[in-house]
Amino acid sequence: MAVDISSADAQAIRKLVPLSTLPGPHFEVLCAEITIETAERDSVLFKKGDTEADLFYLLSGQVSLQSQGLEVEIIDAESESARFALAHQLPRKIDAVACNSIRYLRLPTETLNYLSSLSYEEESSYMVIVEPEDNSDDWMTTLLKSPIFQRLPPANLQKIIISLEEVVFEKGEAVFHQGDPGDYYYLIKSGQCLLTRKPSENAKEIKLALLRTSDTFGEDSLLSDKPRNVTITAISKLSLLRLSKLHFITLIKEPALKYIDFEQMRQEQANGALLLDVRSTEDYNQFHLNDSISAPFFTLRMQLKTLNRARSVVVVCGNGKTSEAAAFLLLRNKFKALILEGGMQKVSPELKNTAALFTIDDGFETTFRNSESSEAAPDKEDTQTVTHKTNPADEALLEQVERLKAQNEALSDRNQELTERCKQLEAAKEDAIKQYRILFKQTEKLKEVLDKLKKQ
């Protein structure tokens, strides 16, 4: 039997993830196709090892998640956990058994595929969020409104919600300081904080932005693997939800960011994309790609209003790291952002518009330019700059620079491999901890049984 769109059941279903992201008309179609099922106590919804790709959502009652006959967790329909599908991983890692009379929703494979085609089409516009009623304090709905989180699959959203940790700061207290290592990504649940930066150690602190409820921050350092470049200070009582760096990288960064190579970048440009160079002005002036626009990362936040959201943006930096932070900022502000993989390090020297400066012994500043630059000698009375053709010594210097770049690139690749290995080990560690907890509970139950037998 279909679900009445105006019923309490429909309102409860509307809050489920990712069903809360569906446009109104699509949600009405869903309600016409689904049926709410019931089950009595001790009924098994699914067993460990099952591969049936249906999603189970608990609407009323309680369900026990069990492993080898031992209870791992009880899910209550009134809890936040019930907004997500029960133990959705395939094959199933756990058994789901009804603790009492329950009502639940099962989404068949066909319906799931249909919803996916509507909500997670990679190249289409962002999903539309229709807010549930009476959710002014629902930070989870606020989180789901973010264009970044709308790009993530349901499984990632569930893991993120489970992994979030709430922390509170009093007025005047610093969340972190400029120069601190990056460790967490933050969502403001309530309150306000100020974002400031010092250009140098003895310089005056500059106020950059005021952040409010539902704003996020902290990703720059996590993406670039560099220390914090700003200070965040609470200007009222501040309640934050934070996500560890490991979870941010694996659950948000990797599925949200998209990389392209040089040829794909040229194709995007041909289709009207904007090429944004987020390196410093000095680096840009040394060499850059033709038709690129200089937008140093620290100024990008202030330049967003000047950019056209109708155009795709390809972000370029030195090695791709700063581009990740810039692309994340653009995505969060509803731009379609792509990253030139590897940055300028991966671009062939002949494709760079070069304007490198070298000092020579005659006291004049010599400008070396690529073949597109003029080689006509200027008037000696009017300028101290002369154009000089590359000589063998200069060629040797350039070759040495290219060798160093290649070595740096190889080290970067090796570092990335080690980082990925570290992630795998962290995941294995988490699995081992979970298994330990299950075995510990099993041991405790066995002790209880032995104690009872001894007393008999």
Side-chain angles (χ1 to χ4, degrees):
M1 182 177 178
V3 176
D4 183 353
I5 191 68
S6 61
S7 66
D9 284 334
Q11 292 181 20
I13 294 170
R14 196 66 171 117
K15 296 180 180 181
L16 302 178
V17 177
L19 306 185
S20 61
T21 65
L22 285 176
H26 296 150
F27 182 69
E28 291 184 21
V29 173
L30 172 69
C31 287
E33 295 181 355
I34 59 178
T35 300
I36 295 176
E37 302 180 41
T38 61
E40 298 303 317
R41 181 177 179 177
D42 295 330
S43 297
V44 178
L45 299 185
F46 53 79
K47 291 186 175 182
K48 180 180 180 180
D50 286 353
T51 57
E52 186 180 25
D54 288 352
L55 292 181
F56 291 81
Y57 291 94
L58 182 62
L59 300 180
S60 67
Q62 294 180 326
V63 167
S64 171
L65 300 181
Q66 302 176 2
S67 176
Q68 300 177 356
L70 296 177
E71 189 174 274
V72 176
E73 185 179 3
I74 292 181
I75 304 296
D76 191 293
E78 300 299 322
S79 68
E80 291 286 354
S81 298
R83 292 185 64 178
F84 297 89
L86 296 171
H88 59 279
Q89 298 93 341
L90 293 177
R92 304 289 182 185
K93 310 294 184 185
I94 211 162
D95 303 329
V97 181
C99 297
N100 46 28
S101 295
I102 65 170
R103 298 171 70 247
Y104 66 94
L105 172 66
R106 182 205 303 257
L107 282 182
T109 303
E110 296 78 10
T111 305
L112 177 61
N113 291 338
Y114 173 65
L115 293 175
S116 298
S117 67
L118 288 176
S119 303
Y120 293 99
E121 186 173 336
E122 186 174 304
E123 298 299 334
S124 66
S125 59
Y126 294 98
M127 294 180 293
V128 177
I129 303 297
V130 179
E131 268 186 57
E133 296 179 2
D134 302 324
N135 68 341
S136 57
D137 295 324
D138 189 351
W139 58 267
M140 190 183 298
T141 302
T142 300
L143 179 146
L144 289 172
K145 290 181 183 178
S146 167
I148 289 290
F149 288 90
Q150 291 173 20
R151 288 173 166 262
L152 306 180
N156 287 44
L157 288 172
Q158 181 173 7
K159 292 176 183 177
I160 289 168
I161 299 302
I162 293 173
S163 302
L164 285 171
E165 174 189 9
E166 185 170 1
V167 289
V168 177
F169 294 85
E170 299 299 327
K171 181 179 179 180
E173 197 173 355
V175 179
F176 55 73
H177 294 91
Q178 183 176 338
D180 287 349
D183 47 7
Y184 290 99
Y185 173 65
Y186 294 90
L187 164 73
I188 302 178
K189 186 176 181 182
S190 64
Q192 297 182 346
C193 55
L194 189 64
L195 186 152
T196 60
R197 172 177 169 78
K198 279 188 173 185
S200 62
E201 185 177 351
N202 297 321
K204 184 179 179 181
E205 198 166 48
I206 301 172
K207 296 179 181 180
L208 298 178
L210 177 66
L211 305 179
R212 299 179 175 86
T213 300
S214 81
D215 283 337
T216 58
F217 62 89
E219 71 274 7
D220 297 352
S221 179
L222 306 186
L223 292 167
S224 64
D225 284 329
K226 294 180 180 179
R228 300 287 190 189
N229 51 34
V230 295
T231 296
I232 301 288
T233 307
I235 59 175
S236 68
K237 187 168 183 178
L238 189 64
S239 177
L240 301 175
L241 297 166
R242 67 184 187 183
L243 187 70
S244 70
K245 180 177 180 178
L246 175 63
H247 285 113
F248 174 81
I249 297 297
T250 56
L251 300 178
I252 299 179
K253 172 196 165 183
E254 292 177 355
L257 300 183
K258 185 175 180 180
Y259 302 82
I260 59 175
D261 59 27
F262 188 83
E263 291 304 319
Q264 291 171 319
M265 180 202 75
R266 286 303 191 204
Q267 184 60 47
E268 290 289 336
Q269 281 188 288
N271 293 332
L274 176 68
L275 188 57
L276 214 59
D277 192 320
V278 295
R279 297 174 300 153
S280 67
T281 303
E282 292 77 13
D283 289 340
Y284 179 86
N285 289 337
Q286 287 287 322
F287 57 84
H288 56 267
L289 296 173
N290 288 331
D291 302 320
S292 64
I293 296 175
S294 177
F297 179 67
F298 287 121
T299 69
L300 182 58
R301 193 185 301 269
M302 294 176 281
Q303 296 186 50
L304 291 177
K305 292 182 180 180
T306 68
L307 302 178
N308 183 1
R309 284 187 174 85
R311 298 179 66 183
S312 299
V313 179
V314 180
V315 190
V316 183
C317 70
N319 59 8
K321 286 295 184 181
T322 305
S323 292
E324 292 178 346
F328 196 90
L329 175 62
L330 290 165
L331 290 172
R332 200 171 65 194
N333 285 275
K334 300 184 179 180
F335 289 88
K336 181 184 177 183
L338 305 168
I339 299 168
L340 178 60
E341 189 169 15
M344 295 297 285
Q345 284 186 357
K346 293 289 184 71
V347 177
S348 301
E350 63 271 14
L351 298 176
K352 299 175 183 177
N353 186 359
T354 309
L357 300 179
F358 299 88
T359 302
I360 56 178
D361 292 339
D362 59 6
F364 294 98
E365 191 178 60
T366 304
T367 303
F368 293 90
R369 299 186 183 275
N370 63 8
S371 58
E372 295 178 1
S373 302
S374 171
E375 293 188 357
D379 190 335
K380 293 181 181 179
E381 297 296 326
D382 296 333
T383 181
Q384 289 186 327
T385 302
V386 296
T387 304
H388 187 73
K389 293 184 178 180
T390 306
N391 59 38
D394 296 326
E395 289 180 354
L397 178 60
L398 292 173
E399 288 177 3
Q400 184 178 4
V401 169
E402 292 304 320
R403 282 197 302 271
L404 291 173
K405 287 181 179 179
Q407 292 173 7
N408 184 63
E409 182 180 331
L411 290 173
S412 297
D413 291 341
R414 179 55 178 163
N415 181 65
Q416 188 172 357
E417 291 176 7
L418 292 173
T419 301
E420 292 299 325
R421 178 57 179 161
C422 182
K423 291 177 186 177
Q424 294 172 3
L425 292 173
E426 287 287 347
K429 176 184 175 183
E430 289 186 7
D431 289 340
I433 291 174
K434 289 179 182 177
Q435 189 63 30
Y436 166 77
R437 289 172 179 167
I438 292 172
L439 292 173
F440 180 80
K441 288 182 179 180
Q442 188 175 10
T443 302
E444 291 298 310
K445 288 197 173 185
L446 289 173
K447 287 181 180 178
E448 291 177 6
V449 173
L450 288 173
D451 289 340
K452 289 180 181 178
L453 291 173
K454 289 178 180 178
K455 292 177 181 178
Q456 291 179 356

